[in-house]
Amino acid sequence: AISLPSPVMWHERIIPLALVIYIRSAFGKACAGDNLSSDAPLRIGVKYKPDDCRKLSKKGDRLLIGYTGTLYSDCSVFDESYYEGFSFTYGQGEVIKGWDQGLGGMCVFEKRKLTIPANLAYGTDGQGDKIPSNSTLVFEVELLGINGKKPKKDKGRQPGWSKQKKKMQPKPEKPAMGGMMGGMGGMMGGMGGMGGMGGMGGMGGMGGMPDMPDMGGQAGSDEL
């Protein structure tokens, strides 16, 4: 005869399993293929706040937000506008609920990390090809201005932001050396065909090219 476990033993197995499933859905690990439960609370983390933080964002303000958006499940970037910024009226439903709930009471140059469950983002519909259904979203945000105003000379902004901006800007492409040399060869060939110049012998009487004017201390100067 096969003996079945007692009801107590079944409960001992089922309850821990249910807890594991709940914990995994509510507190899924970032970048590991998980999402938070769609009804999980909004997470707001303050990453940086200026010392002078008196003017705070409120409903009806026009905010300029720099941001980078990633998927919680795999940490891939789906959108960003970190230095140009995105402008909208706060608290008017122009953006996802996670932003309308997570960007209040901020001062200019404050930085936050918003972890937004699906019901406060794009829900079961998702958004295009980059945001699947029921996605938890993570936004690294910085408030860049309130109603078109910010501190003069970026006072209070986190040190090092300008270096980071320079680092992120794409470097201009260098012209191919082959194309440059080919162009120079064509020029020299054309000059060779100008026999009327007497083999360039006339330049000998010019005593060489004139000296370039002395630039003095202007070399390397940043002033106009």
Side-chain angles (χ1 to χ4, degrees), residues 41-46 98 101-104 110 112-115:
L42 171 67
R43 299 179 184 177
I44 303 174
V46 178
Q101 295 180 18
L103 299 177
E110 180 178 339
R112 290 183 181 179
K113 180 179 180 180
L114 306 180
T115 304

Side-chain angles (χ1 to χ4, degrees), residues 83-174:
Y83 292 103
E84 298 82 2
F86 173 76
S87 181
F88 69 100
T89 302
Y90 177 64
Q92 303 300 313
E94 296 180 2
V95 291
I96 59 175
K97 293 180 180 178
W99 272 37
D100 264 347
Q101 295 180 18
L103 299 177
M106 289 183 75
C107 55
V108 177
F109 300 143
E110 180 178 339
K111 290 183 177 181
R112 290 183 181 179
K113 180 179 180 180
L114 306 180
T115 304
I116 305 175
N119 69 327
L120 298 178
Y122 297 102
T124 57
D125 294 335
Q127 182 74 4
D129 298 330
K130 294 185 177 182
I131 302 179
S133 173
N134 292 317
S135 291
T136 301
L137 307 181
V138 179
F139 286 94
E140 299 277 354
V141 300
E142 181 181 16
L143 180 55
L144 301 177
I146 299 177
N147 297 322
K149 298 179 180 180
K150 66 176 184 177
K152 294 181 179 179
K153 298 182 179 180
D154 292 319
K155 183 179 180 181
R157 198 167 191 181
Q158 187 174 32
W161 70 270
S162 58
K163 292 182 180 179
Q164 184 68 14
K165 178 179 180 180
K166 185 176 181 181
K167 181 179 179 181
M168 292 181 67
Q169 289 177 337
K171 295 181 179 179
E173 295 184 2
K174 295 182 179 180

